[in-house]
Amino acid sequence: MAEWGAVEVHQLLDRFPATERTIEATSKIIDANSTVVGLALVSGNVPILCVWNCDDELYYGSFDAMTEQDWGARPRISDAAFAVK
């Protein structure tokens, strides 16, 4: 991996705002063609951290940061959520 890019390992909870450290569900993030482009970690029906692939690069951040990428059409969070236990 070192020759293709950096490998970063982070504690996920460190990436959440201090008040939102409970992940209740995960949801797919889909584009206008219903193609999965990312994953949203959800707390209280609000995405608190998103992970997505854009231009062959893996990113993470808020849903708003994700939508700033040039998708052609704004991606949306799928209604289907998977509970986290």
Side-chain angles (χ1 to χ4, degrees):
M1 289 292 295
E3 68 184 80
W4 300 105
V7 176
E8 294 184 29
V9 178
H10 298 281
Q11 182 63 261
L12 273 179
L13 293 179
D14 293 345
R15 302 295 180 227
F16 299 153
T19 58
E20 299 173 347
R21 296 220 169 166
T22 301
I23 303 168
E24 297 169 354
T26 60
S27 292
K28 298 175 194 174
I29 301 171
I30 55 179
D31 67 8
N33 299 315
S34 296
T35 301
V36 176
V37 295
L39 177 71
L41 304 178
V42 180
S43 178
N45 293 324
V46 175
I48 57 174
L49 182 70
C50 296
V51 179
W52 66 94
N53 183 5
C54 186
D55 296 328
D56 206 25
E57 296 284 335
L58 187 64
Y59 296 91
Y60 64 89
S62 69
F63 184 72
D64 289 338
M66 186 192 140
T67 60
E68 290 176 2
Q69 301 280 331
D70 184 17
W71 296 100
R74 183 181 168 109
R76 63 184 174 84
I77 297 175
S78 169
D79 293 333
F82 304 94
V84 176
K85 295 181 181 186

